[in-house]
Amino acid sequence: MTRVLVVEDDPQLVRALIINLQARQYGVDAAPDGTTALRLAAARQPDVVLLDLGLPDMDGVDVIKGLRAWTRVPILVLSARQASDEKVAALDAGADDYVTKPFSMNELLARLRAAVRRTEEARLEPGTTLVETTDFTIDLLAKRAVRGGLDVRLTPTEWHLLEILVTSPGRLITQKHLLQEVWGVSQSNKTNYLRVYMAQLRRKLETDPAHPRYLITEPGMGYRFEG
């Protein structure tokens, strides 16, 4: 049974989440604050965490940091905060996804299933060197991309960017993280670097660069690779 830890201080929402999750055969633990959440996470070892940012005792970002100190469990943030910088702060701290309140239960459950599935199936195991999609193959060891049986010529910068994305399939990588890793800068006015290089990668790898299947943009936040 997949175990879900719900961290939320709104009793009505907690009740609705528990009913919907248990109806789909999930095991559910609930915490009304960050302190209880960190204690329950250590004791119950959940498979996924649904986390509200506005908790009574601490900010949800601090809960994310506390969890990330010892676990890679998927964390889906649930929050009424809509400012992109707050979403980025949660993602930079280690959250895997961000759902803005109010949300549809069907959308939330779909994202929860996707997060669990990625953890079980898509996360690359240590030592994995080959990433295969329907349209292209990435050989991480040989630093080689192949599409349609032909080598794809990538610049060192394009390769570095692609490597970061494909080694964390399904995970949203923030602009800040990519800028720091690839160019050593985090200034927001450098995001044009990312747009240019992502456009080049899509032209080289995607069947329809204008409607990418693999290299996905999350506007204002970052990019993700969907294998």
Side-chain angles (χ1 to χ4, degrees), residues 12-145:
Q12 285 186 304
L13 180 54
V14 170
R15 194 175 306 115
L17 288 167
I18 289 175
I19 290 169
N20 278 276
L21 289 166
Q22 288 182 339
R24 291 161 177 82
Q25 309 305 310
Y26 290 98
V28 187
D29 295 299
D33 54 56
T35 303
T36 307
L38 292 171
R39 178 176 55 78
L40 275 177
R44 303 288 284 171
Q45 300 284 314
D47 299 295
V48 61
V49 176
L50 301 180
L51 171 68
D52 180 30
L53 290 184
L55 299 171
D57 60 338
M58 67 175 73
D59 193 274
V61 171
D62 293 322
V63 178
I64 296 170
K65 291 176 180 176
L67 290 170
R68 285 292 173 256
W70 63 273
T71 179
R72 291 304 309 163
V73 62
I75 301 172
L76 276 67
V77 168
L78 313 177
S79 181
R81 302 177 188 177
Q82 299 196 26
S84 62
D85 58 340
E86 296 195 71
K87 295 181 182 181
V88 168
L91 294 163
D92 275 336
D96 294 86
D97 206 346
Y98 196 108
V99 182
T100 303
K101 296 177 182 177
F103 51 81
S104 102
M105 194 61 69
N106 284 339
E107 179 194 359
L108 175 64
L109 291 168
R111 294 204 191 193
L112 186 149
R113 287 192 300 270
V116 173
R117 186 171 62 248
R118 287 196 297 267
T119 302
E120 292 175 346
E121 300 173 2
R123 203 61 88 181
L124 292 185
E125 295 295 325
T128 297
T129 61
L130 205 61
V131 178
E132 296 181 283
T133 74
T134 304
D135 297 309
F136 58 84
T137 301
I138 307 297
D139 187 331
L140 296 166
L141 192 61
K143 294 191 179 297
R144 181 182 179 216

Side-chain angles (χ1 to χ4, degrees), residues 162 165 198 201-202 206 212-217 224-225:
L162 181 64
L165 292 168
M198 288 300 294
L201 281 172
R202 286 173 178 144
E206 297 274 6
R213 158 71 180 81
Y214 304 100
L215 302 170
I216 309 300
T217 300
R224 75 169 89 224
F225 169 71

